[in-house]
Amino acid sequence: MKRNRSGLSLLEVVVVLGCALIVFALLIPAVSTPREWPRRNQCSTQLKNFSLAAIQYENARGRFPGWVMDFGNFGWDPETETVLEQLNDPSSAPSGPLERAAEGLVPHRKVGTWAVALLPWLDAQPTYEHWTEDRYPILTRGEGATQEQSGTGFHPLAAPQFAIFQCPSDPNNDGEDNGRSSYIANTGVYFPPSDLIAGTHSIFHPDGTVKEIGFEESMSVEFGVFGNRLSARAANWDEDLRVPVAEPIGLDDFKDGASNTVLFSESLHAMPWHRAGFVNDVDLMFERHPDEVVFPPLSRFTNGMVWHGVDWSNGKQPREIHLINGNRSLTESMQMDPGNATDLARPSSAHTDGINVSMADGGTRYVSDSIDPRVWQALMTPRGREEIPEDALY
């Protein structure tokens, strides 16, 4: 009598395990990809909100904000043009006599970035009022003052964390720094920070033309969107000499089309949204007059992106570090500092093979990091008149 075999043979077990391993290996990308797609889409949505905020700002003011701006003063009486004797922070509850509310407060100038200017359109009106109303300080030496990458001595209410400033894929958002940011604005062409007053720089266009320009012209609509809006003297220069302020740039000045002009992009190296350049509290304090505060020379690069001109006619190519996600192996570990700021002022992200950007029409695009550098330059110049192929971005 023939018996029915129960259980599985060794060969059948091996086959089943092999099939299971194959299925598991196929599912690994399917598990990780859905996790990254929502993050990338959320990042794209946040960039879209930045462009919409900038468009609303332009509609209200007739120009785009600057990469660095003056938002007022604390501890200064504009009517008498004197420093106030009594300093008080109305956002802090004094624990004793009124004098205690002045502990840690000093007169200072409120110098901030394009991000501060857009706060009202990003559902952050209370923080914006902290920056723009003279009765509130943005610096303090009291409890909760910022430090390290966030800048020393910023008031915690002037530099809070905002989810909209942080790409969910950015690995740098795990730190404890105040005002973390993953986004940068189009600040135009690279110009040496040492030549703000009298220097000139050769600008190479993709069509082979070369132009010798000064700092003021480097902020024209031919080269970028966000310019300097802070009237201040440069360090080590006479008091009468001021760093040039950009001419107003609005949407009507865009000749290449709003849909072909980048306003914002991602960056793994962006400095905190509130900190222009590498300013600390001592850089914004004054004893007698707000004009004692000097221009932060690296403010164009810490919260912005520039394009570095290349002599295309001689077959040269941009340095890898200047490309989108250039030196990828180092990009995710490098931190911006005064020594590398001019090189790292370009788009970068933790996404695969590209970056999210938002345009001057409010739209967003995903740009491949293998994009032709000349096409990317054309996207950053509102009046460059370069043609941009439809399939050039991917």
Side-chain angles (χ1 to χ4, degrees):
M1 181 176 178
K2 186 177 181 181
R3 295 182 178 180
N4 292 328
R5 180 170 57 87
S6 61
L8 298 173
S9 68
L10 179 60
L11 178 60
E12 291 172 326
V13 171
V14 171
V15 171
V16 171
L17 289 176
C19 292
L21 289 174
I22 293 173
V23 172
F24 183 71
L26 292 174
L27 286 177
I28 288 177
V31 171
S32 60
T33 301
R35 188 178 300 172
E36 171 58 18
W37 271 101
R39 292 175 180 173
R40 194 174 112 176
N41 289 338
Q42 180 181 342
C43 180
S44 176
T45 299
Q46 292 175 177
L47 279 165
K48 181 182 184 69
N49 288 334
F50 280 118
S51 276
L52 293 177
I55 292 170
Q56 293 179 74
Y57 181 97
E58 192 274 346
N59 288 337
R61 308 290 175 84
R63 63 176 182 268
F64 286 101
W67 71 61
V68 59
M69 302 178 69
D70 185 354
F71 293 97
N73 304 289
F74 175 77
W76 175 256
D77 186 346
E79 294 184 0
T80 62
E81 293 194 345
T82 58
V83 174
L84 296 176
E85 295 182 2
Q86 177 64 54
L87 300 180
N88 180 44
D89 179 5
S91 62
S92 301
S95 56
L98 183 61
E99 294 82 39
R100 292 189 182 180
E103 291 180 359
L105 298 179
V106 293
H108 55 268
R109 192 171 180 180
K110 299 182 177 183
V111 175
T113 70
W114 55 265
V116 176
L118 300 186
L119 290 176
W121 293 276
L122 298 174
D123 294 329
Q125 184 67 27
T127 303
Y128 181 72
E129 291 175 358
H130 219 91
W131 277 84
T132 54
E133 294 189 12
D134 289 348
R135 62 196 181 110
Y136 292 119
I138 65 165
L139 300 180
T140 180
R141 290 181 172 176
E143 184 178 355
T146 63
Q147 54 187 336
E148 298 181 353
Q149 196 76 350
S150 301
T152 302
F154 281 91
H155 198 295
L157 294 181
Q161 305 286 22
F162 288 121
I164 194 172
F165 282 96
Q166 301 173 39
C167 173
S169 295
D170 188 343
N172 299 318
N173 287 332
D174 296 332
E176 297 180 356
D177 297 328
N178 289 63
R180 292 193 301 269
S181 176
S182 305
Y183 303 113
I184 49 180
N186 178 358
T187 55
V189 66
Y190 165 77
F191 194 90
S194 59
D195 294 333
L196 299 179
I197 300 294
T200 59
H201 184 61
S202 296
I203 304 300
F204 295 88
H205 283 284
D207 61 6
T209 59
V210 184
K211 194 171 187 179
E212 195 78 12
I213 65 171
F215 177 72
E216 184 171 8
E217 190 173 1
S218 78
M219 299 182 290
S220 69
V221 72
E222 180 182 351
F223 301 111
V225 180
F226 294 76
N228 168 43
R229 303 298 305 171
L230 172 65
S231 176
R233 64 184 179 86
N236 303 321
W237 283 79
D238 295 337
E239 293 186 4
D240 293 337
L241 290 176
R242 293 287 187 272
V243 175
V245 174
E247 292 293 326
I249 293 177
L251 285 171
D252 290 341
D253 297 313
F254 289 23
K255 301 304 180 184
D256 289 350
S259 62
N260 287 326
T261 303
V262 172
L263 289 187
F264 301 99
S265 175
E266 300 179 76
S267 172
L268 296 177
H269 311 292
M271 294 294 288
W273 60 263
H274 62 279
R275 190 183 183 194
F278 292 92
V279 296
N280 295 302
D281 51 2
V282 294
D283 300 304
L284 301 181
M285 297 175 185
F286 59 84
E287 293 183 359
R288 297 176 298 277
H289 195 281
D291 280 348
E292 295 170 19
V293 175
V294 300
F295 184 85
L298 293 173
S299 55
R300 187 175 202 158
F301 309 99
T302 52
N303 301 89
M305 53 182 166
V306 300
W307 51 272
H308 295 76
V310 177
D311 187 0
W312 303 103
S313 62
N314 291 330
K316 293 183 179 180
Q317 293 293 318
R319 291 174 55 199
E320 185 178 357
I321 192 65
H322 295 158
L323 300 175
I324 296 174
N325 284 324
N327 285 356
R328 169 67 89 163
S329 60
L330 297 175
T331 287
E332 296 190 15
S333 61
M334 295 177 71
Q335 187 175 61
M336 181 176 283
D337 58 46
N340 62 25
T342 59
D343 289 327
L344 295 182
R346 83 291 192 264
S348 58
S349 81
H351 306 308
T352 303
D353 301 328
I355 55 164
N356 286 307
V357 301
S358 57
M359 317 301 285
D361 64 348
T364 59
R365 298 184 182 184
Y366 193 73
V367 178
S368 170
D369 52 21
S370 61
I371 186 175
D372 187 320
R374 287 167 288 191
V375 174
W376 175 249
Q377 177 178 327
L379 288 171
M380 290 192 66
T381 52
R383 196 180 281 182
R385 295 187 172 87
E386 303 96 341
E387 293 186 6
I388 302 174
E390 288 295 329
D391 59 348
L393 307 181
Y394 308 100

Coordinates of all heavy atoms in Angstrom, one line a residue, residues 247-281:
E247 N 19.1 98.3 -8.3 CA 17.9 99.0 -8.8 C 16.7 98.0 -8.7 O 16.9 96.8 -8.7 CB 18.1 99.3 -10.3 CG 19.1 100.4 -10.6 CD 18.6 101.7 -10.1 OE1 17.4 102.0 -10.1 OE2 19.4 102.5 -9.6
P248 N 15.5 98.5 -8.5 CA 14.3 97.6 -8.3 C 14.1 96.7 -9.5 O 14.3 97.2 -10.6 CB 13.2 98.6 -8.1 CG 13.8 99.8 -7.6 CD 15.1 99.9 -8.3
I249 N 13.9 95.4 -9.3 CA 13.6 94.5 -10.3 C 12.2 93.9 -10.1 O 11.9 93.4 -9.0 CB 14.6 93.4 -10.4 CG1 16.0 93.9 -10.8 CG2 14.2 92.2 -11.3 CD1 17.1 92.9 -10.8
G250 N 11.3 94.0 -11.1 CA 10.0 93.4 -11.0 C 9.7 92.5 -12.1 O 10.5 92.3 -13.0
L251 N 8.5 91.9 -12.1 CA 8.2 90.9 -13.1 C 8.1 91.5 -14.5 O 8.4 90.8 -15.5 CB 6.8 90.3 -12.7 CG 6.8 89.3 -11.6 CD1 5.4 88.9 -11.2 CD2 7.6 88.0 -12.0
D252 N 7.8 92.8 -14.6 CA 7.7 93.4 -15.9 C 9.1 93.5 -16.6 O 9.2 93.7 -17.8 CB 7.1 94.8 -15.8 CG 5.7 94.8 -15.5 OD1 5.0 93.7 -15.7 OD2 5.2 95.8 -15.0
D253 N 10.2 93.3 -15.8 CA 11.5 93.4 -16.3 C 12.0 92.1 -16.9 O 13.0 92.1 -17.6 CB 12.5 93.8 -15.2 CG 12.2 95.2 -14.7 OD1 12.0 96.1 -15.5 OD2 12.2 95.3 -13.4
F254 N 11.2 91.0 -16.7 CA 11.6 89.7 -17.2 C 11.3 89.6 -18.7 O 10.2 89.6 -19.1 CB 10.9 88.6 -16.4 CG 11.4 88.4 -15.0 CD1 11.9 89.5 -14.3 CD2 11.2 87.2 -14.4 CE1 12.4 89.3 -13.0 CE2 11.6 87.1 -13.0 CZ 12.2 88.1 -12.4
K255 N 12.4 89.5 -19.5 CA 12.2 89.4 -20.9 C 12.2 87.9 -21.4 O 11.8 87.6 -22.5 CB 13.2 90.2 -21.7 CG 13.2 91.7 -21.3 CD 11.8 92.3 -21.5 CE 11.8 93.8 -21.2 NZ 10.4 94.4 -21.3
D256 N 12.8 87.1 -20.6 CA 12.9 85.6 -21.0 C 11.7 84.9 -20.6 O 11.6 83.7 -20.9 CB 14.1 85.0 -20.3 CG 15.4 85.5 -20.9 OD1 15.4 86.2 -21.9 OD2 16.5 85.2 -20.3
G257 N 10.7 85.5 -19.9 CA 9.5 84.8 -19.5 C 9.6 84.3 -18.1 O 10.6 83.8 -17.7
A258 N 8.6 84.6 -17.3 CA 8.6 84.2 -15.9 C 8.7 82.7 -15.7 O 9.3 82.2 -14.8 CB 7.3 84.6 -15.2
S259 N 8.2 81.9 -16.7 CA 8.3 80.4 -16.6 C 9.6 79.9 -16.9 O 9.9 78.7 -16.7 CB 7.2 79.8 -17.6 OG 7.5 80.1 -18.9
N260 N 10.5 80.8 -17.4 CA 11.9 80.4 -17.7 C 12.9 81.0 -16.8 O 14.1 81.1 -17.1 CB 12.2 80.7 -19.2 CG 11.6 79.8 -20.2 OD1 11.4 78.6 -19.9 ND2 11.2 80.3 -21.3
T261 N 12.5 81.5 -15.7 CA 13.4 82.2 -14.7 C 13.2 81.6 -13.3 O 12.2 81.6 -12.8 CB 13.1 83.7 -14.7 OG1 13.2 84.3 -16.0 CG2 14.1 84.4 -13.7
V262 N 14.3 81.1 -12.8 CA 14.3 80.4 -11.5 C 14.4 81.5 -10.4 O 15.1 82.5 -10.5 CB 15.6 79.5 -11.3 CG1 15.7 79.0 -9.9 CG2 15.5 78.4 -12.3
L263 N 13.5 81.3 -9.4 CA 13.6 82.2 -8.2 C 14.2 81.5 -7.0 O 15.1 82.1 -6.3 CB 12.1 82.6 -7.8 CG 11.4 83.6 -8.7 CD1 10.1 84.1 -8.1 CD2 12.3 84.8 -9.0
F264 N 13.8 80.3 -6.8 CA 14.3 79.6 -5.6 C 14.7 78.1 -5.9 O 14.3 77.5 -6.9 CB 13.3 79.5 -4.5 CG 12.8 80.9 -4.1 CD1 11.6 81.4 -4.6 CD2 13.5 81.6 -3.1 CE1 11.2 82.7 -4.1 CE2 13.1 82.9 -2.7 CZ 11.9 83.4 -3.2
S265 N 15.6 77.6 -5.1 CA 16.1 76.2 -5.3 C 16.4 75.6 -3.9 O 16.4 76.3 -2.9 CB 17.3 76.2 -6.2 OG 17.9 74.9 -6.3
E266 N 16.8 74.4 -3.9 CA 17.2 73.7 -2.7 C 18.7 73.9 -2.5 O 19.4 74.1 -3.4 CB 16.9 72.2 -2.8 CG 15.5 71.8 -3.0 CD 15.4 70.3 -3.2 OE1 15.5 69.6 -2.1 OE2 15.2 69.8 -4.3
S267 N 19.1 73.7 -1.3 CA 20.5 73.7 -0.9 C 20.8 73.0 0.4 O 20.1 73.2 1.4 CB 21.0 75.2 -0.8 OG 22.4 75.2 -0.3
L268 N 21.8 72.1 0.4 CA 22.2 71.4 1.6 C 23.1 72.3 2.4 O 23.5 71.9 3.5 CB 22.8 70.1 1.2 CG 22.0 69.0 0.5 CD1 22.8 67.8 0.2 CD2 20.8 68.6 1.4
H269 N 23.4 73.4 1.9 CA 24.4 74.3 2.6 C 23.8 75.6 3.0 O 24.6 76.5 3.5 CB 25.6 74.5 1.7 CG 26.2 73.3 1.1 ND1 26.8 72.3 1.8 CD2 26.2 72.8 -0.2 CE1 27.2 71.3 1.0 NE2 26.8 71.6 -0.2
A270 N 22.5 75.8 2.8 CA 21.9 77.1 3.1 C 22.1 77.5 4.6 O 21.9 76.6 5.4 CB 20.5 77.1 2.7
M271 N 22.5 78.7 4.8 CA 22.6 79.2 6.2 C 21.2 79.4 6.7 O 20.2 79.5 6.0 CB 23.4 80.5 6.2 CG 24.9 80.3 5.8 SD 25.8 79.3 7.0 CE 25.9 80.4 8.4
P272 N 21.0 79.5 8.1 CA 19.7 79.7 8.6 C 19.0 80.9 8.0 O 19.7 81.9 7.6 CB 20.1 80.0 10.1 CG 21.3 79.2 10.4 CD 22.1 79.3 9.1
W273 N 17.7 80.8 7.8 CA 17.0 81.8 7.0 C 17.1 83.2 7.5 O 17.0 84.2 6.7 CB 15.5 81.4 6.9 CG 14.8 81.3 8.2 CD1 14.6 80.2 9.0 CD2 14.2 82.4 8.9 NE1 13.9 80.5 10.1 CE2 13.7 81.9 10.1 CE3 14.1 83.8 8.7 CZ2 13.0 82.7 11.1 CZ3 13.5 84.6 9.6 CH2 12.9 84.0 10.8
H274 N 17.4 83.4 8.8 CA 17.4 84.8 9.3 C 18.8 85.5 9.3 O 18.9 86.7 9.4 CB 17.0 84.7 10.8 CG 17.9 83.9 11.6 ND1 17.9 82.5 11.7 CD2 19.0 84.3 12.4 CE1 18.8 82.1 12.5 NE2 19.5 83.1 12.9
R275 N 19.8 84.7 9.0 CA 21.2 85.2 9.1 C 21.8 85.6 7.8 O 22.1 84.8 7.0 CB 22.0 84.1 9.8 CG 23.4 84.5 10.2 CD 24.2 83.4 10.8 NE 25.5 83.8 11.3 CZ 26.5 83.0 11.6 NH1 26.3 81.7 11.5 NH2 27.7 83.5 12.1
A276 N 22.0 86.9 7.6 CA 22.6 87.4 6.4 C 24.1 87.3 6.5 O 24.7 87.9 7.4 CB 22.2 88.8 6.1
G277 N 24.7 86.6 5.5 CA 26.2 86.4 5.6 C 26.5 85.6 6.8 O 25.7 84.7 7.2
F278 N 27.5 85.9 7.6 CA 27.9 85.2 8.8 C 27.8 86.1 10.0 O 28.6 86.0 10.9 CB 29.3 84.6 8.6 CG 29.3 83.5 7.6 CD1 29.7 83.7 6.3 CD2 29.0 82.2 8.0 CE1 29.7 82.7 5.4 CE2 29.1 81.1 7.0 CZ 29.4 81.4 5.7
V279 N 26.8 87.0 10.0 CA 26.7 88.0 11.0 C 26.4 87.4 12.4 O 25.6 86.4 12.5 CB 25.7 89.1 10.7 CG1 26.1 89.9 9.5 CG2 24.3 88.5 10.5
N280 N 27.0 87.9 13.4 CA 26.7 87.6 14.8 C 26.2 88.8 15.5 O 26.1 89.9 14.9 CB 27.9 87.0 15.5 CG 28.4 85.7 14.9 OD1 27.6 84.7 14.9 ND2 29.6 85.6 14.5
D281 N 25.9 88.7 16.8 CA 25.3 89.9 17.5 C 26.3 91.1 17.4 O 25.8 92.2 17.2 CB 24.9 89.5 18.9 CG 26.1 88.8 19.6 OD1 27.2 88.6 19.1 OD2 25.8 88.4 20.8

